[in-house]
Amino acid sequence: MNIISSFYELVCSRCSRRSSQKNEKCLLEPFDLKKWLKLAIIVALAGGGGSSGYNGSTPNTGNSDLSDLPFSYIPDGNGFVDQITSMPDLPLILAIVGSIGLFVLILWYISSVMDFVFVESITKNDVRFWEYSKKYMRMGLNLFIIRFVLAIGFFAIFIMAALPMIIQIINDPSTSFLPMLIAGGMSLVAVILIISIFSAIIYSFIYLCIPIAMYDKIGIIEALEKVVATFRQDWKQMIGYWFGRFILWTGGGVVFGIIILFLILIPGLFFLFIDAIIYFALSWIIQQSIIWLILAPIAIIEIALLILFSIMAIMPLHVFMKYHMLLFLEKWRPDTTIPFFDLADES
């Protein structure tokens, strides 16, 4: 099967139709608000622990007097370390950074467990949050370790690419940052692009190996080896799968983005109107500082509701795309039997 026919079948043909049918049956037949809330929480947790970002440095201001600023004089690497270790608040800073890092790692582990819970929930059409979470804690830990090692590897590659710029900044902090960024920016952009492509491919394999590990009752590494072996035998369907997923995610993202915008805009304006009435009503009775103390918890509740609305609105797209992945895997690798609900009723 060539790439074009694979692409057509994955986007326009049976795979997408079956995904839509299963999505409709899972979410609407019958409609269960409690089930929607559980799936929305699972989707949010599955996507909440695996993101990372990079914050660029602030450009140097030129020849201005920076003698009163910390790290204004960093002659070499040793001087940089000396200034770090001589900071009076270093233990507090390390404690805060360590706490944030630990919190992120815990979220990342929960995210890994939720990937298994998500697959099990929509495969069986039965959402049992705590039961499935306990069942897949060990597999989730193994997946977390693999993701953590990959993240360290990708970050190390980026740091190695940025190392000349970092050394230049440490050894000569008076150097203007902007020309250096322009000179080395293209190479960093190329490195980031290459890392993004490779990470997307690797994580695509990892997501496919999750149901294989679950239903073939094997480890994540062994499941990953099976995915790679199948890819070597039938890489054309995988290329079509990637293109199909890109089209579906792009189109679905636009449609659901508009839906989420309306779901946030309409209640947001309503909440703003209510808050304004409360503010003007209380301004005749009590002091302004007390008014803000009253409005602050109300605003927090309103923001939480808007976030919940947006998560529940985007959840059907994630369920559809997960069904799409599972149905592709079922066709691409017939050796793995995925125990879908109501399989006997499907044509």
Side-chain angles (χ1 to χ4, degrees):
M1 181 178 292
N2 58 39
I3 296 175
I4 296 177
S5 60
S6 300
F7 171 79
Y8 173 80
E9 180 158 349
L10 287 165
V11 178
C12 308
S13 189
R14 189 166 181 262
C15 190
S16 294
R17 288 201 304 269
R18 290 183 65 198
S19 300
S20 299
Q21 291 168 0
K22 287 185 176 296
N23 198 39
E24 181 179 352
K25 190 172 185 67
C26 176
L27 299 178
L28 299 177
E29 298 179 7
F31 177 79
D32 185 349
L33 181 59
K34 186 177 179 180
K35 184 179 182 180
W36 274 59
L37 283 171
K38 288 181 179 179
L39 283 172
I41 292 172
I42 291 171
V43 167
L45 290 175
S51 60
S52 59
Y54 169 75
N55 295 320
S57 303
T58 304
N60 195 289
T61 54
N63 297 324
S64 59
D65 185 10
L66 301 176
S67 58
D68 294 332
L69 294 178
F71 310 114
S72 60
Y73 175 68
I74 310 176
D76 51 29
N78 292 330
F80 178 77
V81 173
D82 291 340
Q83 288 205 25
I84 288 287
T85 55
S86 63
M87 292 177 61
D89 297 329
L90 181 61
L92 178 60
I93 294 174
L94 291 177
I96 294 174
V97 172
S99 299
I100 294 174
L102 180 62
F103 179 70
V104 171
L105 290 177
I106 292 173
L107 279 182
W108 208 353
Y109 168 63
I110 293 173
S111 171
S112 299
V113 175
M114 288 302 108
D115 281 326
F116 292 92
V117 174
F118 190 22
V119 171
E120 186 85 335
S121 297
I122 67 171
T123 300
K124 294 183 176 180
N125 194 20
D126 185 14
V127 185
R128 300 183 183 183
F129 185 89
W130 295 113
E131 179 181 334
Y132 297 160
S133 297
K134 293 176 182 177
K135 180 179 179 181
Y136 292 110
M137 286 181 68
R138 185 177 182 82
M139 278 190 172
L141 178 61
N142 294 335
L143 179 60
F144 163 74
I145 292 172
I146 293 172
R147 285 174 166 171
F148 182 74
V149 171
L150 286 172
I152 294 294
F154 288 136
F155 183 71
I157 293 172
F158 174 79
I159 291 297
M160 290 175 63
L163 196 58
M165 188 182 302
I166 296 172
I167 292 175
Q168 179 64 29
I169 294 172
I170 291 175
N171 291 332
D172 189 8
S174 62
T175 302
S176 180
F177 182 74
L178 186 58
M180 189 187 312
L181 181 61
I182 294 174
M186 292 304 296
S187 61
L188 286 180
V189 169
V191 170
I192 293 172
L193 182 61
I194 293 172
I195 290 175
S196 300
I197 293 172
F198 274 96
S199 64
I201 293 172
I202 292 172
Y203 277 103
S204 176
F205 287 165
I206 288 175
Y207 282 120
L208 286 170
C209 81
I210 288 173
I212 295 177
M214 292 169 61
Y215 301 121
D216 288 356
K217 301 186 184 305
I218 57 178
I220 296 294
I221 298 296
E222 187 177 351
L224 190 57
E225 291 174 351
K226 290 180 180 293
V227 170
V228 174
T230 308
F231 176 74
R232 289 175 179 172
Q233 297 173 359
D234 189 4
W235 58 270
K236 292 182 180 179
Q237 282 204 69
M238 179 60 78
I239 300 297
Y241 167 75
W242 286 334
F243 277 107
R245 298 280 288 184
F246 176 77
I247 296 298
L248 290 172
W249 270 120
T250 303
V254 171
V255 173
F256 279 86
I258 296 173
I259 294 174
I260 291 172
L261 181 62
F262 278 101
L263 285 177
I264 292 178
L265 184 62
I266 296 174
L269 292 174
F270 176 74
F271 290 153
L272 188 62
F273 177 72
I274 296 298
D275 293 342
I277 292 177
I278 294 174
Y279 175 81
F280 287 113
L282 294 178
S283 62
W284 296 91
I285 305 172
I286 56 179
Q287 297 179 355
Q288 189 172 11
S289 58
I290 301 178
I291 295 176
W292 291 117
L293 289 176
I294 295 173
L295 287 177
I298 297 176
I300 292 172
I301 295 173
E302 291 169 348
I303 293 172
L305 287 174
L306 292 176
I307 293 173
L308 180 62
F309 290 158
S310 63
I311 293 173
M312 291 188 67
I314 198 66
M315 180 269 295
L317 177 61
H318 285 269
V319 173
F320 170 82
M321 295 303 294
K322 188 64 69 173
Y323 275 130
H324 184 268
M325 183 203 76
L326 293 171
L327 290 167
F328 165 77
L329 179 63
E330 183 184 51
K331 180 179 181 299
W332 186 58
R333 193 177 186 281
D335 292 341
T336 298
T337 301
I338 301 175
F340 284 117
F341 63 95
D342 291 338
L343 268 177
D345 297 335
E346 295 186 23
S347 57

